Amino acid sequence: MIFSSISFVKPVISRIFRRRWVQICTGLLLLWSMLGWLAVPSIVRAVLPAQVLQHTGRVLEAGDIRFSPFSLTLSISDLHLKEADQKTDAMTLSQLKLNISLASVWHRALVVDGLELVQPQVRITRVQQGNHSLYNFSDILDKLAATPASPEPARFALHDILIHNGTIRYADRSAAQTAVIDTLELGLPFISSFPHDAETHVEPALSFMLNGAPVRFHANSKPFSSSMESRLDLGIQTLDLAKLQTYLPLALPVRLQSAKLDSSLSLVFRKQPAQAVLEGSVALQQVHLQSLEGDELLRFGGLKAELASVDLRGLQGHVKNLQIDQPEIWLTADKEHGWNWLSLLSSGKKTSAPESAADSRGKNGVQPEKVLPLWKLDKASVHKGSLHLTDSLMASRKVTRDFQWDLSLNALSTAKDAVPAALQLSLNDADQGSL
């Protein structure tokens, strides 16, 4: 009788415990859902603007904030970061999505499975104050620089970083110039400071329109490895260089009236040994140079160079082919300025004190032999060239001549044991005949 009672009670107790566990799990799930849907957005709305204001001195406004407790995805819409005046937008963001990984718990570091920025719009302005350039974000940089550095490096891992349809508007108020980067797309699969991720290859991709010209970057790198090996592919189509010369830090001795750039280049970086090697092809079209006074200097229809490898650090390299089509050169001379091209070259040089004979000698008092950087050019050609010569050095008369010329060059090298290069030059003068 007792055993039959026990056998009857055990299923009842088991059902009660199962029901209690179901109730507890359901309660915890509801609590987690309520915390995720209600508490997290409220905490983010209170903490995020305060942290941004503390570290940057800028006001941040956010629209709708949502958090999914099951996918651990935080979504913020209509973000506005204000200028220092707290009124003008310095940056706007249509939507930000952040997918946090549970791996953050056992790594005790920030691990993000996905970060997506939709339609970011950034406004950059520059003004000149004396010898210094001030930007609308200079105060942020100063505030961040004054922040004490952490004794330990930050530990983080970011995956699937995406930027869609971004826009950057640059306004140089001192030079009254503007530039627009739009339709910006960025894909960065992986960035991490964890030691076991140091040898992982990262292949970011970037594309945008710069003043209407398409620009494309693709890279393969190990940004946190000891070698810091990286490869950057750069593709550019019909980029107008004339519109960019006003943004150069140094003034040019010439005026670039027009030039279109196309490139399919790869830049390879290595830390050990230190190298920066350029490979691929680059082309210029519709090039037109004038002096600052408006005198003609140079025109050519096209220039194309095929680079086998160019060491930017060692200033040496191997060029497979160099082709120039329809170059037109103006060479003039007068008593006041001399030859125009020589005066341009000398204007960019700085005079320095001559080197003494003792300084130029080595430790043993022997003059060291100067070695030229190693350059090799397989083939070069110039087609349908023109040379306009105007010589006013003679007081008695002014000489004006026009020449047509073509050039072909093969196997040129600066190596000491190199064989002589093969050069063919044809020069035609309408008055004196051809050479």
Side-chain angles (χ1 to χ4, degrees), residues 266-307:
S266 295
L267 185 58
V268 181
F269 297 94
R270 297 184 183 91
K271 185 178 179 181
Q272 297 176 352
Q275 286 183 327
V277 179
L278 195 62
E279 305 169 351
S281 63
V282 61
L284 290 172
Q285 298 178 1
Q286 304 174 18
V287 176
H288 182 195
L289 278 180
Q290 288 184 338
S291 67
L292 298 179
E293 293 78 20
D295 299 324
E296 297 290 346
L297 290 174
L298 175 67
R299 284 178 182 264
F300 58 82
L303 180 150
K304 185 176 182 180
E306 297 180 15
L307 311 179

Side-chain angles (χ1 to χ4, degrees), residues 27 49 109 112 133 143 146 167 282 363 387 397 402 421 423:
V112 175
S133 295
K143 195 173 183 65
T167 302
V282 61
K363 293 182 178 180
L387 174 63
R397 61 191 179 94
D402 291 324
L423 172 66

Side-chain angles (χ1 to χ4, degrees), residues 236-243 256 258-262 283-287 303:
I236 298 177
Q237 297 179 11
T238 61
L239 177 62
D240 192 348
L241 298 180
K243 293 182 179 179
L256 183 62
S258 67
K260 306 290 185 180
L261 174 66
D262 295 273
L284 290 172
Q285 298 178 1
Q286 304 174 18
V287 176
L303 180 150

Side-chain angles (χ1 to χ4, degrees), residues 75-225:
S75 177
I76 307 176
S77 61
D78 296 328
L79 277 166
H80 295 259
L81 181 66
K82 299 299 182 179
E83 295 274 13
D85 60 7
Q86 299 185 1
K87 297 179 181 179
T88 311
D89 287 335
M91 184 190 73
T92 62
L93 195 61
S94 176
Q95 190 175 48
L96 181 148
K97 290 183 179 180
L98 184 68
N99 187 9
I100 304 172
S101 173
L102 281 175
S104 302
V105 177
W106 56 80
H107 279 298
R108 290 181 296 177
L110 178 62
V111 179
V112 175
D113 285 339
L115 174 62
E116 184 176 1
L117 308 178
V118 181
Q119 291 184 339
Q121 297 191 18
V122 180
R123 176 175 170 268
I124 300 176
T125 59
R126 172 190 173 274
V127 294
Q128 189 73 24
Q129 290 191 0
N131 297 326
H132 302 282
S133 295
L134 292 181
Y135 296 87
N136 57 333
F137 54 84
S138 296
D139 59 319
I140 298 179
L141 298 180
D142 294 339
K143 195 173 183 65
L144 293 176
T147 303
S150 176
E152 296 183 0
R155 300 179 70 250
F156 65 92
L158 304 179
H159 301 81
D160 293 336
I161 304 171
L162 300 174
I163 295 180
H164 296 303
N165 197 20
T167 302
I168 301 175
R169 302 183 185 277
Y170 175 79
D172 191 332
R173 294 179 178 175
S174 301
Q177 297 289 336
T178 60
V180 178
I181 295 175
D182 55 3
T183 63
L184 187 148
E185 300 286 333
L186 172 66
L188 189 58
F190 174 76
I191 290 181
S192 174
S193 63
F194 294 158
H196 66 273
D197 294 326
E199 295 299 323
T200 303
H201 278 278
V202 180
E203 298 187 9
L206 173 65
S207 64
F208 55 86
M209 301 283 287
L210 176 57
N211 293 333
V215 180
R216 175 186 54 82
F217 294 89
H218 181 270
N220 187 309
S221 66
K222 296 179 180 179
F224 297 101
S225 68

Side-chain angles (χ1 to χ4, degrees), residues 395-413:
S396 58
R397 61 191 179 94
K398 177 180 179 181
V399 178
T400 301
R401 303 275 292 276
D402 291 324
F403 300 92
Q404 305 299 319
W405 60 289
D406 292 273
L407 182 143
S408 176
L409 180 65
N410 293 294
L412 177 64
S413 175

